[in-house]
Amino acid sequence: MGRYAFIILSNPEDLSEAIKAAHALHYAVGLKERGHDVVVYFDGLGSRIPIAQSPYKGLKPAYEEAMRAGLIYGACGYCASPPHLNIGDALRRAGLRLVGDEEHHEDISIFLDSGYQVLVF
């Protein structure tokens, strides 16, 4: 079986990007159901997905399904920090782990070094 890390950068406030993010979440859940090792990581504007009010009503259910499946690795702490999106507290309240902080932006090597194939959406 494969190992897949879905890195979601899509802006949940943009309809076409929110649809893309929802599809990525559906793909991740589907791979997990087929026995693959799958994680989902939110980076950049994608860090807003867990707390956003998206114009695409299918995004929240897709996120909740991925969360129930235990796929959510976390969100970028650098992007969530006050100098950037300033959503760290809201993400923590939503139960997300923040990776990195305002001084340190993790890169995809954290997944590559663990043998994951990285898929960016």
Side-chain angles (χ1 to χ4, degrees), residues 1-85:
M1 290 284 137
R3 298 187 88 197
Y4 302 99
F6 284 73
I7 313 301
I8 302 182
L9 296 160
S10 300
N11 180 356
E13 295 169 8
D14 176 273
L15 180 61
S16 64
E17 289 195 27
I19 292 170
K20 182 181 359 177
H23 278 80
L25 291 165
H26 289 307
Y27 299 154
V29 169
L31 287 169
K32 174 73 171 184
E33 289 173 348
R34 288 168 184 79
H36 296 277
D37 181 1
V38 180
V39 294
V40 173
Y41 181 66
F42 300 106
D43 200 359
L45 291 175
S47 298
R48 292 181 175 169
I49 288 172
I51 59 171
Q53 296 299 319
S54 178
Y56 179 56
K57 299 307 176 203
L59 181 57
K60 184 173 178 111
Y63 167 75
E64 290 171 346
E65 182 180 24
M67 184 65 114
R68 281 191 304 274
L71 300 181
I72 308 302
Y73 182 86
C76 179
Y78 180 84
C79 295
S81 68
H84 304 287
L85 299 175

Side-chain angles (χ1 to χ4, degrees), residues 81-99:
S81 68
H84 304 287
L85 299 175
N86 196 22
I87 58 172
D89 289 339
L91 289 173
R92 282 187 207 91
R93 283 191 300 275
L96 267 80
R97 170 175 56 161
L98 298 181
V99 180

